[in-house]
Structure formats: C-alpha cells, structure tokens
Amino acid sequence: MQRKARLVKAAATAAGLLSTTHVGAAPSPEPGFGLPRDVSEYGHHIDWLIEVTAVFTALLFVIMVIWMLWACLKHNEKHEADYDHGESKHSVKTALLLSAVIFFVVDGNLFYNSTTDVFRVFWNHDSVENNPQAVKIEINAHQWAWDARYAGPDGKFNTKDDIITLNDVRVPVGAPVLLQLVSPDVIHSFYLPNLRVKQDAMPGMINRLWFQAKQTGEYDIGCAQHCGVNHYKMKGTLTVLSPDEFKSWAADQSAIGARGYDPKDNEAHWGWEWRARN
Amino acid sequence: MEELQHIHPEPTSFIRKWVFSTDHKVIARQFLWAGLLFLAFGGGLAMLIRWQWAYPGEPVPAVGSLLFSGSGGSITPANYNSIFTMHGLIMIFFAITPIMIGAFGNFCIPLMIGARDMAFPKLNMLSFWTFLLSQCLVLASFFVQLGSGAAGWTTYPPLSTNVGTPGLGQTLVVAAIFVTGVATIMGGLNYVTTVVRLRAPGMTYARMPATVWGLWLTAILNVLFVPVLGSAALLLLLDRQFGTQFYVAGSSAVRGGGDPILFQHLFWIFGHPEVYILILPPWGFVTDLVSFFARKPAYWFKGSIFAMSAVTILSAVVYGHHMFVTGMNPMLGQSFMTLTLIISVPAELLFLNWLHTIWKGSIRLTVPMLFALGTIFVFGLGGLTGLFLGTISTDLYLHDTMFVVGHFHLTMAAAAFLGSFAAIYFWFPKMFGRNMNQTLGKWHFWFSAVFITLVFCGQLAAGYAGHQRRLFDPYQYTFLQHLHPLNRWTSYFAFLLGIGQLPFVYNFFRSVFMGTKAEMNPWEIGTLEWTLPSPPVHHNFDTIPTVHRGPHEFANPEVKKALGRDWIGQAEELPKTEKAPAKPAAAAGAS
Amino acid sequence: MGEILPYRPPRAREEWTAYLGMVIFLASWAMMFGSLFFAYGMVRARSNEWPPADLPSLPLVVPAINSVVLVLSSAVLQLVLVALRRGKAQFAGPGLGLTAVLGMVFLGLQITTWRSLFDDGLTPQGGPYASVFYTLTCFHALHVLVGILALGWLCRGALAGRYSAARFLPVRLWTLYWHFVGVVWLAMFVTVYVV
C-alpha cells in the first residue's frame, strides 16, 4: 500500500515537473552581492529598513573610525593630555544627549517601522486567513524534505482530492499564500530568501507564515534551522505561476492525487484540519 | 583589613606550589594555559569549517588523512556538524571563559583591590580542577563511536535529544557543559565575595578599576544565570538518559510530549547574559587601557560604570530576540525588541566615553593600547549590526543567516579575543615577571585586527545575501552559488588569521621562559598591582595599602608639580592636596 | 590555638564573608530551582488538562505532613542558633540531631509518596507531567539529603563541644541552607501539590 502511494507521489512529482510550462528548470542564480531578488509584495519594507539602517550605522561607524584615527595621529605622545574627568554637568549632558539622539533616530526608526510592518503585514496572519483569495498550504517539514499539501477542490485537508508534493510549492502570482508549518521530528525553518520571510517548523506546534509573490519564476526554499546531517540538502523550489497556470496545475495534481488515494495509508494522511486561529 | 587576611606561610613542595595551589596567581596561570590550549583547538576547528566552505568535499590538506581517514581525508556532513558545534562550545566555554574570567579574573581582582588572595582560596583551586574535568569530558566526546556533539552549540532539542542525536558523544558534551557551569559558579561566587569583602581601605566601588568592575559584574551574571543553563542541561540529560519528556516532541512524544521551546527559553535566559558575561571583562579592560595609554582620566568613569551595570541588569530581559521566528506571540516579540533596542543605549554611552577619553590625550600606541583600540573597532562594527537582529522585521530575513554569525563573531569572538590579548600583553610582565617582545606583539596585532575584520565582514556580506548558517555545502542552493568566491576569500583570510597567531605563540612561549626581566611598573600605571614586584610574592601585599584616589589619575597638574610625572598611584601619598580642581568647563566639553 | 578567644559579636568580619558566600551559593540554587519551576509552569500552561485524566493525581496528606515536618525542623534549628547565641551550647548537639532526624522523616515520607505513585502507574517516562513531578521532587530531595549530611556532621561537632557562643559560624551557614530548602519545599508544595 505504501509503495503504491510513493509511486504515485513520484509520478506526481514527475508530472508536475513536466507540466511546468515556460518556467526554467531551476531558480536562476542571483547576480552580484547584496540582497537577493525581491519578488514579494511586501518585502521592500524589510529591504528599505535594512538599507536605511545600514546607511545610519555605516555613518556612525565611519565617524567613530575617523575620530579614532584623528586622535591617534594628532593627540599622540607629543600632545599634552587634557586633565578632564568628563564629570562636569556640561560633559555629562553632552554624552547623554548624544546617546539619546542616536537612539531616537536610529533605534526609533527601526522600532517604528518594524512595529508597523510586523503588525500590519508580516505577522498579520488573521487578515490573510479571512481573505477568500488566499491559497492555503500545509507544510510538513521533516528530515530532510518539505512535504506540501493543498486542500484541493473540496477545500478540506487530508481528503481524497488533496494535492501533495515533495519539495515543490507552487503558488499563483499576486495572491496571498498562507502556510501552516509542522514537524514530526526536529526543528526546521521554512525560509524564502526571495520573499524575505522565514518561520520555524516546531514539533508539537503549528506555526504560520504568509507571503505574496509579485513575479513569476522559480525560487529557492531553504531550511534555516540546523536539523541534522542533511540539513544542507533540505532544499525545495517555490514556483510562482500565473493564475491560469496555477489553476490548471492544481486541477491536474488534484486528479492525480485522487487516483492514487489509499484510505488505508496512514503515513500519507499527515495533513490536519486547518487551524484558523482568530 | 589586615585581620581578615593573614599572611600564610608559602607552600614549599612542587605539588602545593604549582599543581594544587590555592594562590590566585598560580590558578590564574593554570586557567590561562588551559584556555590557550583550547583556543588553539577551537581555532583549528574553525579552519576546518572554512576549508569546507572554500573547497567543499575536498580532502583537507595535511591533517585530512589523519582526522577523516574513513572518507579519504574529506569532511563528511556528520563530521561537519560536530566540527561547528564543538568550535562554538569550545571557544565560548573552554577558551574565552577560562582566559578572560578564569585567568584574568583570578589574577587581577585581588591585586587590583589590594587583597592578599581571593575570599575562598580552596574553592578557587577546586574551581580550576572542576574546569579541567569538564575539558576532559569534552575531549573524551571526540573519541566515542558516533562522534562528539553535533546539534550546534545552541544544542536545541529535539535535535539534541537522543532521538535527534543519539550516542554518548552528545551526552558527554552536555555533561561537560554542566560541569564547566559548576566550575564557573564556584569562581563567580569567589569573585563576587572577594570584591565585596576584601577591598583595601579607601578602595570604594567608584575607585575600583574598570577591569575589576567588568569582572565583578560578569561574576554576578555568572552566579545568577549559569544555574539556568545548568537546569536546561540537566533536563536535557534527563531526557537523553532517563526517558523524561521535557523537550521531546513530535512523533516521539509520549502523552503530548514536551516543549522544545522550553529549552530555548531556559537556554537564552542564560544565553543572553552569557554574551554580556563574555564582553563585560573586555569592556572593563578597554575602559582602563584607553585611559592608561592616552595618559588621561577615564572620561565620565561613573557613567561607564553605570552603563556596564545597566547592561548587566537588562541582560536577562532581552533574551527573546533569539526566538523571534519560533512562532512567538507578537506582543511578546514587541517587548523583547523594545528592550533589546534600549540595551544598546548603555553600550553607546560606553563608546562615547572611550572616544572622549582618547580625544585630547597623549596616546602611546603600545601593544595593549593597539589591542584595546582594535577591540573598540570590532565591537563598534559588531554592536551596530546587532540593531538589525534585535528588530523583528529585519530579523525575519536575517535570522539564522551568516549575518548573525558575523555579528556575534565581531562582538563576542573578535572583541573578547582582542580584549584578551590586550590583557595578556598588558599583564604579562606582572604575571610572569618577564617582558614579551613588543615588535612581535605589534605584528600580531595588525595581522589579527586586519584579518579578523575581513573574515567577519565576509560573513556579514554572505548573510546579507541570505546565506544560512551551519550548511555543510551551501552551494546546493542556487541562490548561494554566486557566493562561493566570497566564501573562499573569507576562508583565505581566516587561514591568514590563523597563521597570524604564530608570532604570538612563539612570543608567548619564548617570553615565559626566556623573556627579559620585567620592572615593577613598566607601563607607568597607578593601579595597585604595579606597586608590587613582577611577579608579586605569594601574599601580594606586605601591608595592605590605603587607597586615596581612583585608578585613572593622569595628567593632573598638581601631580606634575609635586612628583614630576603624569601619573600617581592609587595608594600614593601626594605631598600637597590630593585633588586638583578640574579644568573649567571649556575644556571639558571638547569633542 | 589554646587561647581564650574574646567574644565577638555575630557580625564579625570573617563571618560576614562566609555568610555572603553562602548567600550567593543559595542565590545560584534559587535560580536553578527557579528555572525548574519555570519549566513546570511552561509544561503545565501548555497542557490541556492537569493532571492528565488517566494518570494518578498527587496525594495531599503526606506532602502536607512533610511541610509540617520541614517547618518544624527549621524551627528547631533556629532555636539551636538562639541557644548558641545565649551561650547554651549544650542544646546544640541534640537540636542539630533532632533536625537531622526530622529531615530523615521528610525523606522517608517522600520516598513512600514516590513508591505509591510509581505503583499507581506514574513513572518518570510517563510524559511531561511525570517528568516535571519527579525532577522537581527528586532534585529537592537531593538538597535535603545534603542538608541532613551536613547537619549530621555539625551534630557530631557540637556533641564534641566544638561550638560555643563565640564560634558557631558553620551552624549559622547551614541553618540558612536548611531554611532555604524548606522555603523551596513550601513553594513546591503549593504549586505542585495544592494548586
């Protein structure tokens, strides 16, 4: 029974690979240094915050280095040291003021932007939960691969028409995608570098992650938590398709899944009832 | 004070003098040797990691056939996991801790506060031998069948339970962590009590050198938070050996199973204070050294003490920033983020004080000063990168990438490493009674500082591009393939960094045995240890001194007039009035 | 050394140092026990029902008796201190011995509790509920055992006349330890057995 399910799975994967239309056979390499391509709808918030903070911190660091170099060169042993304990009211006030300014500008900017971005977007799973357009996927992260399950036309998980893939997550462009992550063994972390998000798959818990892609193509899925010997090989592919391609792929996969469905194969029923938390 | 510290007769037998000694100065040297040995060991492991990332799968030159004979000299994925795990654990617990806290805590504290020894000398000796036992357990773990620990230094379950990582190796490693924790607590207890009880008359807390402050605050953190690691480790050992279910979850769970996140909480409640434990002594060293070698008082010393104390107090409440992507409640995440951003303020203040100290000083670029300035440089860089990681939204992308690795290497490894060398070069004359070669020291500094910066900036760059950590072969991922040259160059710099330590090794060994005899006060510093012969006698002080002033009394015009030099000892009598009025505010605000 | 030592008030400088050492020592243990209580809290908060329906519930009577036993023993020990301070060193030996015996009674009762729960089906391998229970109580019991051994050693010394009004530092230190162990028990009694 289990062998049959596995053969079907393999066939499904092969069919899936064959049915990719005009996407490449693999993600395309990243050019140059710096942040990888951003193909997400909201990732630019993170990119912006990283880049702005990088400018601030680079500036502070450069000022510090110039200060130190200047002091070492100009205030060397030939220079007479200033007898100053720095404890005057003026000195203390200046030090505190300087610290405060740096804090409120740099840290303040980080705080404000992260708070709004996280609560409005990245950890706002409930808004996606209630979005009828959202594509819901259950991910079973295990040593050392990603199983993905879609509910299929009946909208229920762990049923006959579920789409089950291995290391292969396909989503339509422009629609929010909501993932529930579990793990039966050790901690893994579902990581989408080109969408700037990750979340741990924690044994004993169901974690959520959502994203929305704005460009078709193939992108890496990585594991970002040390999970054993083959942690480095735990890679998947995120394929972003046009809405029509996605619909036809989903329909095909669902049919394949239904044909190979074996109600007695417990191992294949790793899915769970979707937990919409509110 | 005299009645509290009787002068005991000196031990005569070799065993009592050099092996089972209760003399804090001997124990300090014992910790230093043990720590330096494991520093070399941990460094070697780092070289293996860098080899694998430069030339994945290729046989390691020279040592490959010896170490990895089963796989033709190349590192296997299982080996690799052990290597990075043990690199982290060894560096943190068995190298930096014994050097900075074991060696310099022991050496500096009694001498700098004017005491004859620690409050509990026998406990001190016991702490060293307990530590040595833990080092033996670590070594033993390499020789068992399934290899040493392999779950990362963070030892997260369920991977670290016997479900994820079976075998005696991981168990021995967890046991070693527990035992070294015991040694640390013993030492911490001693340091805290000694500073509270055995300060010489006149040595108020405000007059203690920053070195003692750093080591004392570290000891307080050790005493309070290493027990938390102890429980985390204990529960893990129970899960591994006795079938309990604290952390086991998923399909191996019994009756609902345990909670892997429990371990993360306990670990990081220890873990975050631990990073402050590792940085407070270098902060102390730097605060003192920049004053000593700019020949200028430490700027707003009370502010620096306040900053170090504030960091100490806040250290435990920021720990959640290590757990942002575990699925935590957003409000909880918000609190941790806020506190983490706040804890950056005292650190900023410390930097401002250091920069103000050297400004308008009379800087001597001695080897300790170079290392102190280097510490400021790398910690500045590393500390700033922490801001990205303490903020939730940016951390979503950067968590568990090489950016984290670059960050903590710059702040924890580089700063502690350079700070330790600053301490070694500075106190070597007093510890061993001989001088180190200063020219070799300068080469050692430049080599180390330059390559440290390059290596860890290389890691930051990789992480910025999304490169995860702990990957045996990163180039399985398409989005990382273009980073192979970056990784290779980072590895080259790492190898050069390793080679750059050779002048130090040669210098250290040669100087210990054949260095020129050191004077009493070669650096012309006013703290109490420089009033004693190099090295000091067994009981340190013939008479316990009375302290009149702080440790950074430089460039005082009254002193210049009375004594003809720019410094005065803490216990020295000044012919006229002791304190000159500070110069008017015009000079004080110079920046 | 043979000479008569002058009476020193209890807060003599050396004693303060040792006392501080003991306080810090206990602070470390407090943090360790605190972590175990934290673990207990997390495990319990996560679970749907506590105790799990099919596992034996914890007894209340014997642990309550144990609480009384420990409180009593702390009281006895405190009286020993008072006696020593007032120069009545002859009560020290018997007092210390009685405290140690009460400690052994505690351990004995604890062992019977474990035995009966074990027989009823609660084994350390029986999931998180059992894990937490056995770990907390065993760890505490180990501390009681160490305390009993220390008290026994002190008792021997007291009976040999080692302690007097002028010097009884070890008794002071271990009294603090014993009170600590008692407080941890009470916290455990309330959070594990009662609530």
Side-chain angles (χ1 to χ4, degrees):
Chain A
M1 293 299 157
Q2 289 175 332
R3 239 182 82 232
K4 193 177 176 200
R6 283 204 201 98
L7 281 171
V8 171
K9 248 198 218 167
T13 314
L17 281 172
L18 286 172
S19 73
T20 54
T21 44
H22 49 263
V23 292
S28 41
E30 295 291 332
F33 288 108
L35 300 169
R37 273 174 305 217
D38 173 25
V39 301
S40 76
E41 193 62 48
Y42 302 102
H44 64 273
H45 289 279
I46 293 179
D47 288 8
W48 179 86
L49 192 54
I50 290 180
E51 281 157 5
V52 161
T53 309
V55 168
F56 277 141
T57 51
L59 199 64
L60 287 171
F61 184 67
V62 165
I63 292 175
M64 184 186 90
V65 172
I66 292 178
W67 179 309
M68 285 168 71
L69 280 172
W70 191 270
C72 288
L73 291 172
K74 288 289 176 183
H75 302 155
N76 56 15
E77 52 276 307
K78 296 196 196 73
H79 179 268
E80 198 180 311
D82 203 22
Y83 183 59
D84 181 12
H85 282 270
E87 284 175 343
S88 66
K89 274 215 174 74
H90 174 89
S91 307
V92 169
K93 268 199 221 143
T94 313
L96 288 175
L97 190 66
L98 220 53
S99 309
V101 165
I102 297 173
F103 177 67
F104 283 109
V105 171
V106 185
D107 294 39
N109 183 50
L110 281 166
F111 179 84
Y112 172 75
N113 281 288
S114 171
T115 307
T116 46
D117 292 342
V118 164
F119 279 90
R120 271 203 226 136
V121 179
F122 297 105
W123 284 356
N124 190 359
H125 305 105
D126 292 339
S127 69
V128 185
E129 196 69 65
N130 301 326
N131 185 332
Q133 282 205 317
V135 176
K136 296 186 171 133
I137 312 178
E138 293 184 347
I139 304 275
N140 181 32
H142 59 87
Q143 285 175 324
W144 286 279
W146 307 97
D147 291 335
R149 177 185 291 267
Y150 300 68
D154 71 349
K156 286 212 191 72
F157 286 91
N158 238 8
T159 56
K160 187 168 171 176
D161 64 354
D162 284 1
I163 302 162
I164 303 173
T165 65
L166 181 67
N167 291 328
D168 179 11
V169 176
R170 300 195 195 208
V171 300
V173 70
V177 178
L178 185 55
L179 306 177
Q180 287 196 350
L181 304 164
V182 304
S183 163
D185 43 43
V186 300
I187 306 177
H188 301 270
S189 194
F190 189 88
Y191 170 41
L192 297 172
N194 298 94
L195 288 102
R196 305 293 188 261
V197 290
K198 67 171 66 78
Q199 186 77 276
D200 285 354
M202 192 74 65
M205 266 172 75
I206 299 178
N207 272 344
R208 301 189 290 178
L209 175 68
W210 86 273
F211 63 90
Q212 183 170 321
K214 67 172 195 256
Q215 196 182 311
T216 56
E218 295 197 350
Y219 310 103
D220 280 314
I221 301 172
C223 181
Q225 179 63 243
H226 178 45
C227 56
V229 177
N230 287 329
H231 165 59
Y232 72 102
K233 280 206 277 203
M234 192 163 160
K235 121 177 178 152
T237 306
L238 173 75
T239 308
V240 183
L241 303 165
S242 73
D244 293 329
E245 283 173 337
F246 177 75
K247 265 209 196 79
S248 71
W249 172 83
D252 289 342
Q253 289 303 302
S254 178
I256 291 172
R259 272 203 298 279
Y261 181 74
D262 177 1
K264 295 214 190 80
D265 184 356
N266 287 323
E267 223 183 73
H269 301 153
W270 54 260
W272 58 92
E273 196 184 313
W274 188 262
R275 307 270 176 89
R277 285 187 277 180
N278 281 318
Chain B
M1 226 4 95
E2 284 283 353
E3 79 265 20
L4 262 189
Q5 303 178 71
H6 303 290
I7 298 183
H8 299 288
E10 230 183 285
T12 40
S13 71
F14 178 83
I15 295 271
R16 283 246 158 257
K17 258 177 106 161
W18 302 115
V19 183
F20 292 110
S21 168
T22 56
D23 181 346
H24 72 100
K25 302 183 289 298
V26 173
I27 297 174
R29 290 202 292 271
Q30 288 176 321
F31 270 115
L32 186 62
W33 288 111
L36 285 173
L37 179 67
F38 269 66
L39 185 67
F41 188 10
L45 291 173
M47 298 299 125
L48 290 174
I49 298 174
R50 292 310 324 182
W51 172 266
Q52 171 62 20
W53 276 22
Y55 303 108
E58 301 214 14
V60 182
V63 295
S65 42
L66 183 65
L67 297 175
F68 311 110
S69 50
S71 46
S74 0
I75 304 171
T76 63
N79 285 336
Y80 182 77
N81 290 349
S82 283
I83 291 170
F84 70 70
T85 298
M86 297 315 290
H87 164 74
L89 285 170
I90 284 175
M91 286 309 217
I92 292 175
F93 292 112
F94 302 98
I96 293 291
T97 299
I99 292 176
M100 266 185 353
I101 302 173
F104 288 101
N106 258 309
F107 189 74
C108 299
I109 292 179
L111 290 174
M112 289 179 120
I113 63 173
R116 293 212 165 103
D117 204 317
M118 287 284 179
F120 308 116
K122 290 206 191 84
L123 184 67
N124 206 8
M125 177 179 78
L126 194 58
S127 84
F128 173 71
W129 289 98
T130 309
F131 172 73
L132 205 63
L133 172 64
S134 70
Q135 283 191 321
C136 293
L137 287 171
V138 165
L139 282 178
S141 71
F142 282 95
F143 294 101
V144 299
Q145 193 174 20
L146 288 175
S148 185
W153 93 274
T154 45
T155 323
Y156 281 1
L159 183 62
S160 57
T161 60
N162 49 355
V163 171
T165 310
L168 189 55
Q170 181 72 44
T171 305
L172 280 173
V173 166
V174 179
I177 293 173
F178 192 86
V179 174
T180 202
V182 172
T184 305
I185 295 171
M186 283 190 215
L189 197 158
N190 226 336
Y191 296 3
V192 176
T193 310
T194 304
V195 169
V196 174
R197 298 293 300 150
L198 297 184
R199 280 167 295 125
M203 176 69 78
T204 60
Y205 284 102
R207 288 181 182 161
M208 284 192 331
T211 298
V212 178
W213 270 100
L215 291 162
W216 186 59
L217 291 171
T218 283
I220 292 175
L221 285 178
N222 264 326
V223 151
L224 291 177
F225 293 105
V226 172
V228 182
L229 175 68
S231 334
L234 175 70
L235 299 184
L236 182 58
L237 280 172
L238 290 176
D239 270 12
R240 285 184 73 84
Q241 299 299 119
F242 295 103
T244 52
Q245 293 253 314
F246 286 102
Y247 309 128
V248 181
S251 44
S252 331
V254 169
R255 294 181 191 284
D259 190 354
I261 298 198
L262 170 63
F263 180 86
Q264 292 192 28
H265 280 288
L266 290 176
F267 185 81
W268 290 115
I269 290 175
F270 154 76
H272 201 84
E274 169 68 5
V275 312
Y276 290 110
I277 286 168
L278 295 173
I279 202 59
L280 280 163
W283 281 356
F285 300 156
V286 168
T287 307
D288 279 340
L289 291 174
V290 291
S291 160
F292 293 166
F293 293 109
R295 312 306 290 175
K296 197 167 160 274
Y299 196 86
W300 196 23
F301 185 50
K302 289 211 178 75
S304 296
I305 295 174
F306 165 75
M308 293 202 288
S309 307
V311 163
T312 305
I313 293 169
L314 287 172
S315 61
V317 297
V318 300
Y319 77 91
H321 60 242
H322 299 271
M323 298 165 61
F324 281 148
V325 297
T326 57
M328 67 167 33
N329 182 325
M331 288 311 294
L332 194 61
Q334 239 354 59
S335 327
F336 280 122
M337 175 174 85
T338 312
L339 289 162
T340 305
L341 292 174
I342 289 176
I343 208 175
S344 70
V345 181
E348 269 177 58
L349 185 62
L350 212 48
F351 267 85
L352 286 175
N353 282 348
W354 293 336
L355 293 175
H356 274 120
T357 302
I358 62 176
W359 191 258
K360 292 233 176 113
S362 180
I363 299 176
R364 289 96 212 276
L365 290 177
T366 58
V367 178
M369 181 58 155
L370 286 170
F371 274 102
L373 292 172
T375 307
I376 297 177
F377 182 88
V378 297
F379 192 81
L381 191 50
L384 289 169
T385 56
L387 289 172
F388 298 83
L389 300 170
T391 303
I392 301 179
S393 63
T394 47
D395 188 57
L396 289 180
Y397 172 65
L398 294 168
H399 176 81
D400 235 278
T401 62
M402 291 305 292
F403 196 84
V404 179
V405 179
H407 162 74
F408 69 67
H409 274 93
L410 280 168
T411 49
M412 190 164 68
F417 192 75
L418 294 177
S420 298
F421 281 120
I424 291 175
Y425 283 98
F426 184 67
W427 276 294
F428 189 94
K430 191 57 62 184
M431 248 188 178
F432 293 98
R434 294 175 185 274
N435 292 315
M436 285 184 85
N437 182 308
Q438 301 303 302
T439 311
L440 278 177
K442 290 191 180 165
W443 279 101
H444 178 217
F445 167 73
W446 285 109
F447 243 100
S448 301
V450 167
F451 289 118
I452 273 179
T453 307
L454 288 171
V455 170
F456 302 128
C457 283
Q459 292 183 337
L460 288 176
Y464 197 79
H467 193 316
Q468 301 106 290
R469 50 191 293 206
R470 296 166 167 167
L471 296 175
F472 171 70
D473 180 3
Y475 318 111
Q476 299 277 316
Y477 288 101
T478 316
F479 81 104
L480 296 182
Q481 280 162 3
H482 72 293
L483 296 175
H484 195 163
L486 172 66
N487 279 338
R488 218 175 324 117
W489 274 96
T490 308
S491 294
Y492 295 155
F493 294 140
F495 300 147
L496 286 169
L497 175 63
I499 293 172
Q501 303 314 301
L502 292 175
F504 170 75
V505 175
Y506 170 73
N507 196 357
F508 188 80
F509 276 95
R510 190 174 184 282
S511 307
V512 167
F513 296 109
M514 300 196 301
T516 54
K517 277 227 167 303
E519 304 161 12
M520 191 171 76
N521 194 352
W523 309 113
E524 297 186 330
I525 305 292
T527 48
L528 295 175
E529 75 271 30
W530 303 104
T531 63
L532 301 175
S534 303
V537 297
H538 177 69
H539 58 270
N540 299 346
F541 299 93
D542 288 334
T543 40
I544 306 281
T546 302
V547 171
H548 300 301
R549 61 188 67 80
H552 311 115
E553 200 57 20
F554 293 97
N556 185 336
E558 296 271 307
V559 170
K560 194 71 195 275
K561 225 184 338 166
L563 299 173
R565 44 177 153 90
D566 69 348
W567 66 275
I568 180 170
Q570 284 194 266
E572 207 174 332
E573 299 280 351
L574 185 61
K576 285 191 349 216
T577 49
E578 283 168 13
K579 253 189 140 159
K583 274 192 175 163
S591 54
Chain C
M1 285 171 80
E3 74 221 308
I4 295 167
L5 293 163
Y7 172 76
R8 267 189 281 185
R11 284 148 199 255
R13 308 198 76 180
E14 278 171 17
E15 298 206 349
W16 256 124
T17 304
Y19 199 73
L20 180 61
M22 179 54 91
V23 167
I24 296 173
F25 180 65
L26 293 177
S28 289
W29 282 119
M31 288 299 287
M32 192 158 184
F33 274 107
S35 313
L36 292 178
F37 278 107
F38 180 95
Y40 166 57
M42 263 197 87
V43 169
R44 184 161 172 174
R46 259 186 115 243
S47 59
N48 300 326
E49 54 173 352
W50 194 272
D54 55 338
L55 286 174
S57 52
L58 301 174
L60 212 50
V61 178
V62 173
I65 298 176
N66 259 345
S67 303
V68 172
V69 166
L70 271 190
V71 170
L72 206 60
S73 67
S74 272
V76 169
L77 203 50
Q78 194 63 25
L79 287 173
V80 166
L81 267 190
V82 170
L84 278 167
R85 280 203 198 106
R86 293 216 184 120
K88 303 216 169 74
Q90 65 272 31
F91 291 114
L96 287 162
L98 178 58
T99 313
V101 165
L102 285 170
M104 288 193 272
V105 168
F106 171 91
L107 278 185
L109 287 174
Q110 187 66 14
I111 291 174
T112 59
T113 310
W114 286 329
R115 272 284 216 39
S116 84
L117 282 168
F118 200 87
D119 291 338
D120 279 345
L122 188 71
T123 61
Q125 292 78 23
Y129 172 76
S131 304
V132 151
F133 171 73
Y134 279 109
T135 303
L136 265 175
T137 51
C138 287
F139 206 60
H140 176 261
L142 277 171
H143 279 74
V144 173
L145 183 62
V146 167
I148 293 174
L149 292 171
L151 287 170
W153 175 74
L154 288 173
C155 177
R156 258 185 84 224
L159 291 173
R162 203 183 295 152
Y163 304 116
S164 64
R167 40 173 318 211
F168 57 95
L169 179 65
V171 181
R172 274 190 79 210
L173 296 180
W174 285 104
T175 302
L176 192 62
Y177 176 88
W178 192 257
H179 290 332
F180 171 75
V181 167
V183 167
V184 172
W185 167 259
L186 288 174
M188 219 167 32
F189 177 65
V190 170
T191 57
V192 176
Y193 290 96
V194 174
V195 176

